[in-house]
Amino acid sequence: MSDPTSAPLREAPPQEGSARRADPRAVLLLGVLGASFSSIFVRWSAAPSLVTATGRLGWTVALLLPVVLLRHRRELLSSAPRDLLFCALSGICLALHFSTWFESLKWTSIASSTVLVSTEVIFSALGFALFLQGRIPRLGAAAIAVAFGGSAVLALSDAGGAGALRGDLLAVLAAAAVAAYTLIGQVQRARQSTTVYTFLTYTACLLALLATDLATGTPVLGWGAREAGIGLLLALFCTLLGHSLFSWSLKWLSPAYVSAAKLCEPVFASVLGLLLFGEGISPLQALGSAAVLAGVLLYTRAEKRG
Protein backbone atom coordinates (compact mmCIF):
# COMPACT_ATOMS: atom_id res chain seq x y z
CA MET A 1 0.00 0.00 0.00
CA SER A 2 2.34 2.66 -1.24
CA ASP A 3 0.11 5.73 -1.29
CA PRO A 4 -0.62 6.92 2.25
CA THR A 5 -1.90 10.32 1.16
CA SER A 6 -5.13 11.57 2.60
CA ALA A 7 -6.32 13.20 -0.64
CA PRO A 8 -8.84 10.83 -2.22
CA LEU A 9 -8.14 11.75 -5.84
CA ARG A 10 -4.92 11.57 -7.78
CA GLU A 11 -3.74 12.15 -11.30
CA ALA A 12 -3.94 9.48 -14.01
CA PRO A 13 -0.84 8.04 -15.73
CA PRO A 14 -0.14 9.95 -18.94
CA GLN A 15 -0.57 6.95 -21.22
CA GLU A 16 -4.27 6.71 -20.39
CA GLY A 17 -5.13 10.36 -20.70
CA SER A 18 -5.75 13.00 -18.08
CA ALA A 19 -9.48 13.47 -18.55
CA ARG A 20 -11.89 11.66 -16.28
CA ARG A 21 -14.98 10.36 -18.05
CA ALA A 22 -16.79 9.01 -14.99
CA ASP A 23 -17.00 9.61 -11.26
CA PRO A 24 -14.34 7.25 -9.85
CA ARG A 25 -16.34 6.68 -6.66
CA ALA A 26 -19.35 5.55 -8.68
CA VAL A 27 -17.12 3.27 -10.76
CA LEU A 28 -15.62 1.82 -7.58
CA LEU A 29 -19.09 1.14 -6.12
CA LEU A 30 -20.04 -0.65 -9.35
CA GLY A 31 -16.89 -2.75 -9.00
CA VAL A 32 -17.77 -3.67 -5.40
CA LEU A 33 -21.30 -4.67 -6.40
CA GLY A 34 -19.98 -6.80 -9.27
CA ALA A 35 -17.40 -8.54 -7.09
CA SER A 36 -20.04 -9.23 -4.42
CA PHE A 37 -21.76 -11.71 -6.75
CA SER A 38 -18.62 -13.82 -7.13
CA SER A 39 -19.32 -16.03 -4.11
CA ILE A 40 -22.95 -16.45 -5.20
CA PHE A 41 -22.04 -17.64 -8.70
CA VAL A 42 -19.37 -20.00 -7.30
CA ARG A 43 -21.87 -21.47 -4.84
CA TRP A 44 -24.26 -22.15 -7.73
CA SER A 45 -21.57 -24.06 -9.61
CA ALA A 46 -21.52 -27.86 -9.35
CA ALA A 47 -18.14 -28.22 -11.09
CA PRO A 48 -14.78 -28.53 -9.31
CA SER A 49 -13.27 -25.24 -8.15
CA LEU A 50 -10.48 -25.43 -10.74
CA VAL A 51 -13.01 -25.80 -13.55
CA THR A 52 -15.01 -22.80 -12.34
CA ALA A 53 -11.86 -20.67 -12.06
CA THR A 54 -10.63 -21.78 -15.50
CA GLY A 55 -14.00 -20.98 -17.08
CA ARG A 56 -14.00 -17.53 -15.51
CA LEU A 57 -10.55 -16.66 -16.82
CA GLY A 58 -11.18 -18.25 -20.22
CA TRP A 59 -14.20 -16.02 -20.79
CA THR A 60 -12.35 -13.00 -19.41
CA VAL A 61 -9.40 -13.37 -21.80
CA ALA A 62 -11.74 -14.03 -24.75
CA LEU A 63 -13.75 -10.87 -23.99
CA LEU A 64 -10.66 -8.70 -23.56
CA LEU A 65 -8.76 -9.97 -26.60
CA PRO A 66 -10.63 -7.93 -29.29
CA VAL A 67 -10.29 -4.72 -27.24
CA VAL A 68 -6.57 -5.25 -26.73
CA LEU A 69 -5.91 -6.06 -30.39
CA LEU A 70 -7.96 -3.13 -31.71
CA ARG A 71 -6.99 -0.38 -29.26
CA HIS A 72 -3.83 -1.43 -27.41
CA ARG A 73 -1.92 -3.60 -29.88
CA ARG A 74 1.09 -1.28 -30.06
CA GLU A 75 1.53 -1.18 -26.29
CA LEU A 76 1.02 -4.94 -26.04
CA LEU A 77 3.65 -5.71 -28.69
CA SER A 78 6.14 -3.30 -27.13
CA SER A 79 5.91 -4.85 -23.67
CA ALA A 80 9.36 -5.27 -22.14
CA PRO A 81 10.52 -8.72 -20.94
CA ARG A 82 10.47 -7.38 -17.38
CA ASP A 83 6.80 -6.44 -17.74
CA LEU A 84 5.94 -9.85 -19.15
CA LEU A 85 7.73 -11.54 -16.24
CA PHE A 86 5.94 -9.49 -13.59
CA CYS A 87 2.57 -9.98 -15.28
CA ALA A 88 3.25 -13.73 -15.33
CA LEU A 89 4.02 -13.71 -11.60
CA SER A 90 0.91 -11.64 -10.95
CA GLY A 91 -1.18 -14.12 -12.96
CA ILE A 92 0.17 -17.09 -10.99
CA CYS A 93 -0.76 -15.36 -7.73
CA LEU A 94 -4.24 -14.63 -9.09
CA ALA A 95 -4.65 -18.27 -10.14
CA LEU A 96 -3.77 -19.37 -6.61
CA HIS A 97 -6.25 -16.85 -5.23
CA PHE A 98 -9.14 -18.02 -7.42
CA SER A 99 -8.53 -21.74 -6.92
CA THR A 100 -8.20 -21.51 -3.12
CA TRP A 101 -11.04 -19.05 -2.61
CA PHE A 102 -13.48 -20.97 -4.83
CA GLU A 103 -12.61 -24.14 -2.91
CA SER A 104 -13.11 -22.27 0.36
CA LEU A 105 -16.70 -21.51 -0.60
CA LYS A 106 -17.40 -25.24 -0.86
CA TRP A 107 -16.44 -25.77 2.80
CA THR A 108 -17.41 -22.68 4.77
CA SER A 109 -20.13 -20.04 4.71
CA ILE A 110 -20.23 -17.14 2.26
CA ALA A 111 -20.00 -14.69 5.18
CA SER A 112 -16.89 -16.30 6.70
CA SER A 113 -15.13 -16.78 3.37
CA THR A 114 -15.71 -13.26 2.05
CA VAL A 115 -14.77 -11.62 5.36
CA LEU A 116 -11.54 -13.61 5.68
CA VAL A 117 -10.53 -12.95 2.07
CA SER A 118 -10.97 -9.22 2.79
CA THR A 119 -7.86 -9.42 5.00
CA GLU A 120 -6.01 -8.96 1.72
CA VAL A 121 -5.18 -5.39 2.77
CA ILE A 122 -3.43 -6.69 5.89
CA PHE A 123 -1.27 -9.09 3.88
CA SER A 124 -0.59 -6.29 1.40
CA ALA A 125 0.68 -4.14 4.25
CA LEU A 126 2.95 -6.90 5.51
CA GLY A 127 4.26 -7.58 2.01
CA PHE A 128 4.81 -3.86 1.45
CA ALA A 129 6.90 -3.70 4.62
CA LEU A 130 8.86 -6.89 3.92
CA PHE A 131 9.53 -6.63 0.18
CA LEU A 132 9.06 -2.99 -0.81
CA GLN A 133 10.80 -1.45 2.21
CA GLY A 134 7.61 0.16 3.43
CA ARG A 135 6.73 1.08 6.99
CA ILE A 136 3.70 0.01 9.04
CA PRO A 137 2.55 2.74 11.48
CA ARG A 138 1.85 1.85 15.11
CA LEU A 139 -1.87 2.22 14.64
CA GLY A 140 -1.56 -0.04 11.61
CA ALA A 141 0.16 -2.72 13.69
CA ALA A 142 -2.69 -2.56 16.20
CA ALA A 143 -5.18 -2.84 13.34
CA ILE A 144 -3.44 -5.97 12.05
CA ALA A 145 -3.66 -7.53 15.52
CA VAL A 146 -7.39 -6.74 15.69
CA ALA A 147 -8.00 -8.22 12.23
CA PHE A 148 -6.15 -11.44 12.98
CA GLY A 149 -7.88 -11.72 16.35
CA GLY A 150 -11.21 -11.39 14.60
CA SER A 151 -10.13 -14.04 12.09
CA ALA A 152 -9.43 -16.46 14.93
CA VAL A 153 -12.84 -15.79 16.48
CA LEU A 154 -14.49 -16.24 13.10
CA ALA A 155 -12.76 -19.57 12.54
CA LEU A 156 -13.75 -20.82 16.00
CA SER A 157 -17.35 -19.67 15.51
CA ASP A 158 -17.98 -21.81 12.43
CA ALA A 159 -20.35 -24.64 13.22
CA GLY A 160 -19.12 -26.83 10.40
CA GLY A 161 -16.23 -28.37 12.34
CA ALA A 162 -13.03 -29.38 10.57
CA GLY A 163 -14.55 -28.81 7.12
CA ALA A 164 -15.46 -25.21 7.92
CA LEU A 165 -12.02 -24.62 9.41
CA ARG A 166 -10.48 -25.93 6.20
CA GLY A 167 -12.59 -23.46 4.24
CA ASP A 168 -11.54 -20.61 6.53
CA LEU A 169 -7.84 -21.45 6.10
CA LEU A 170 -8.25 -21.61 2.32
CA ALA A 171 -9.87 -18.15 2.41
CA VAL A 172 -6.89 -16.77 4.35
CA LEU A 173 -4.50 -18.33 1.81
CA ALA A 174 -6.59 -16.75 -0.96
CA ALA A 175 -6.22 -13.37 0.77
CA ALA A 176 -2.42 -13.73 0.91
CA ALA A 177 -2.31 -14.71 -2.77
CA VAL A 178 -4.42 -11.77 -3.94
CA ALA A 179 -2.31 -9.44 -1.78
CA ALA A 180 0.77 -10.53 -3.74
CA TYR A 181 -1.18 -9.92 -6.96
CA THR A 182 -2.11 -6.44 -5.70
CA LEU A 183 1.46 -5.52 -4.77
CA ILE A 184 2.78 -6.54 -8.19
CA GLY A 185 -0.06 -4.64 -9.82
CA GLN A 186 0.82 -1.52 -7.85
CA VAL A 187 4.30 -1.62 -9.35
CA GLN A 188 3.15 -2.44 -12.87
CA ARG A 189 0.33 0.12 -13.04
CA ALA A 190 2.99 2.83 -13.12
CA ARG A 191 4.39 1.24 -16.30
CA GLN A 192 1.37 -0.17 -18.14
CA SER A 193 -2.21 0.77 -18.95
CA THR A 194 -5.00 -0.96 -17.07
CA THR A 195 -6.14 -2.89 -20.15
CA VAL A 196 -2.74 -4.28 -21.15
CA TYR A 197 -1.71 -5.09 -17.59
CA THR A 198 -4.95 -6.92 -16.81
CA PHE A 199 -4.96 -8.75 -20.17
CA LEU A 200 -1.41 -10.06 -19.70
CA THR A 201 -2.09 -10.96 -16.07
CA TYR A 202 -5.39 -12.70 -16.84
CA THR A 203 -3.76 -14.62 -19.70
CA ALA A 204 -0.97 -15.80 -17.39
CA CYS A 205 -3.59 -16.73 -14.80
CA LEU A 206 -5.53 -18.77 -17.37
CA LEU A 207 -2.36 -20.61 -18.46
CA ALA A 208 -1.49 -21.36 -14.83
CA LEU A 209 -4.98 -22.74 -14.19
CA LEU A 210 -4.87 -24.87 -17.36
CA ALA A 211 -1.49 -26.25 -16.30
CA THR A 212 -2.95 -27.10 -12.89
CA ASP A 213 -5.96 -28.77 -14.53
CA LEU A 214 -3.59 -30.88 -16.60
CA ALA A 215 -1.35 -31.75 -13.65
CA THR A 216 -4.29 -32.80 -11.46
CA GLY A 217 -6.18 -34.62 -14.20
CA THR A 218 -9.16 -32.26 -13.92
CA PRO A 219 -11.25 -32.25 -17.14
CA VAL A 220 -12.04 -28.70 -18.25
CA LEU A 221 -14.68 -29.52 -20.88
CA GLY A 222 -17.89 -31.48 -20.72
CA TRP A 223 -19.60 -29.73 -17.80
CA GLY A 224 -22.55 -28.43 -19.80
CA ALA A 225 -24.05 -25.08 -20.71
CA ARG A 226 -24.93 -24.20 -17.10
CA GLU A 227 -21.31 -24.22 -15.97
CA ALA A 228 -20.25 -22.33 -19.09
CA GLY A 229 -22.87 -19.71 -18.26
CA ILE A 230 -21.60 -19.40 -14.68
CA GLY A 231 -18.09 -18.85 -16.02
CA LEU A 232 -19.40 -16.11 -18.30
CA LEU A 233 -21.26 -14.41 -15.43
CA LEU A 234 -18.13 -14.52 -13.29
CA ALA A 235 -16.10 -13.00 -16.12
CA LEU A 236 -18.58 -10.20 -16.84
CA PHE A 237 -19.73 -9.18 -13.37
CA CYS A 238 -16.86 -10.17 -11.10
CA THR A 239 -13.74 -9.76 -13.25
CA LEU A 240 -14.53 -7.07 -15.83
CA LEU A 241 -16.98 -5.19 -13.58
CA GLY A 242 -15.06 -6.08 -10.43
CA HIS A 243 -11.30 -6.58 -10.46
CA SER A 244 -10.72 -4.48 -13.56
CA LEU A 245 -12.69 -1.55 -12.14
CA PHE A 246 -10.64 -1.79 -8.94
CA SER A 247 -7.49 -1.50 -11.04
CA TRP A 248 -8.95 1.42 -12.99
CA SER A 249 -10.02 3.26 -9.84
CA LEU A 250 -6.44 3.20 -8.52
CA LYS A 251 -5.67 5.86 -11.16
CA TRP A 252 -7.91 8.32 -9.32
CA LEU A 253 -8.35 7.07 -5.76
CA SER A 254 -5.80 6.16 -3.11
CA PRO A 255 -5.26 2.44 -2.32
CA ALA A 256 -6.54 3.13 1.21
CA TYR A 257 -9.81 4.52 -0.17
CA VAL A 258 -10.23 1.57 -2.54
CA SER A 259 -9.48 -0.95 0.22
CA ALA A 260 -12.01 0.69 2.55
CA ALA A 261 -14.70 0.62 -0.14
CA LYS A 262 -14.04 -3.06 -0.84
CA LEU A 263 -15.07 -3.81 2.76
CA CYS A 264 -18.65 -3.44 1.55
CA GLU A 265 -18.20 -6.61 -0.53
CA PRO A 266 -18.49 -9.14 2.34
CA VAL A 267 -21.51 -7.24 3.65
CA PHE A 268 -23.29 -7.38 0.28
CA ALA A 269 -22.25 -11.02 -0.24
CA SER A 270 -23.49 -12.03 3.24
CA VAL A 271 -26.88 -10.43 2.59
CA LEU A 272 -27.13 -12.22 -0.76
CA GLY A 273 -26.12 -15.49 0.92
CA LEU A 274 -28.89 -15.04 3.49
CA LEU A 275 -31.52 -14.21 0.87
CA LEU A 276 -30.56 -16.85 -1.71
CA PHE A 277 -29.24 -19.72 0.40
CA GLY A 278 -30.68 -19.05 3.85
CA GLU A 279 -27.21 -18.78 5.41
CA GLY A 280 -27.70 -17.11 8.77
CA ILE A 281 -24.94 -15.56 10.89
CA SER A 282 -24.42 -16.58 14.53
CA PRO A 283 -23.65 -13.92 17.17
CA LEU A 284 -20.05 -15.14 17.56
CA GLN A 285 -19.59 -15.19 13.79
CA ALA A 286 -20.93 -11.64 13.59
CA LEU A 287 -18.51 -10.57 16.35
CA GLY A 288 -15.52 -12.09 14.54
CA SER A 289 -16.60 -10.58 11.21
CA ALA A 290 -17.02 -7.16 12.80
CA ALA A 291 -13.53 -7.38 14.34
CA VAL A 292 -11.94 -8.35 11.01
CA LEU A 293 -13.66 -5.54 9.11
CA ALA A 294 -12.88 -3.05 11.90
CA GLY A 295 -9.23 -4.04 11.79
CA VAL A 296 -9.03 -3.62 8.03
CA LEU A 297 -10.83 -0.26 8.17
CA LEU A 298 -8.58 0.89 11.02
CA TYR A 299 -5.52 -0.01 8.98
CA THR A 300 -6.70 2.04 6.01
CA ARG A 301 -7.15 5.02 8.34
CA ALA A 302 -3.70 4.47 9.83
CA GLU A 303 -2.22 4.39 6.34
CA LYS A 304 -3.87 7.69 5.40
CA ARG A 305 -2.60 9.32 8.62
CA GLY A 306 0.89 7.89 8.04
Side-chain angles (χ1 to χ4, degrees), residues 19 85 152:
L85 175 61

Side-chain angles (χ1 to χ4, degrees), residues 93-255:
C93 292
L94 192 59
L96 179 61
H97 163 71
F98 282 138
S99 58
T100 52
W101 185 45
F102 286 8
E103 186 66 16
S104 164
L105 287 162
K106 295 184 180 299
W107 294 92
T108 192
S109 67
I110 289 174
S112 293
S113 182
T114 53
V115 166
L116 288 172
V117 87
S118 74
T119 57
E120 165 207 345
V121 65
I122 303 299
F123 287 103
S124 294
L126 295 174
F128 179 55
L130 290 173
F131 302 111
L132 298 180
Q133 299 179 338
R135 174 181 168 274
I136 299 177
R138 291 182 180 179
L139 183 59
I144 291 173
V146 170
F148 276 110
S151 299
V153 172
L154 191 58
L156 292 173
S157 71
D158 270 326
L165 180 60
R166 175 182 178 179
D168 292 341
L169 292 175
L170 285 169
V172 173
L173 178 57
V178 79
Y181 156 77
T182 300
L183 287 171
I184 296 172
Q186 238 179 307
V187 175
Q188 286 303 111
R189 284 293 291 108
R191 298 171 54 90
Q192 295 175 290
S193 67
T194 302
T195 304
V196 170
Y197 166 69
T198 53
F199 175 75
L200 289 174
T201 297
Y202 294 158
T203 300
C205 180
L206 175 60
L207 293 175
L209 288 169
L210 288 171
T212 307
D213 292 329
L214 183 62
T216 58
T218 304
V220 178
L221 303 177
W223 294 95
R226 181 174 181 272
E227 296 300 328
I230 289 174
L232 178 58
L233 290 173
L234 282 165
L236 287 173
F237 286 92
C238 310
T239 303
L240 298 180
L241 291 179
H243 283 266
S244 294
L245 293 188
F246 294 155
S247 296
W248 181 90
S249 65
L250 286 170
K251 295 185 299 179
W252 308 102
L253 303 170
S254 73

Side-chain angles (χ1 to χ4, degrees), residues 46-59:
S49 301
L50 276 174
V51 172
T52 307
T54 305
R56 173 177 180 167
L57 268 297
W59 278 112

Side-chain angles (χ1 to χ4, degrees), residues 6-24:
S6 58
L9 299 182
R10 41 183 212 177
E11 200 171 325
Q15 69 267 27
E16 293 192 65
S18 58
R20 267 196 291 134
R21 298 182 178 180
D23 183 347

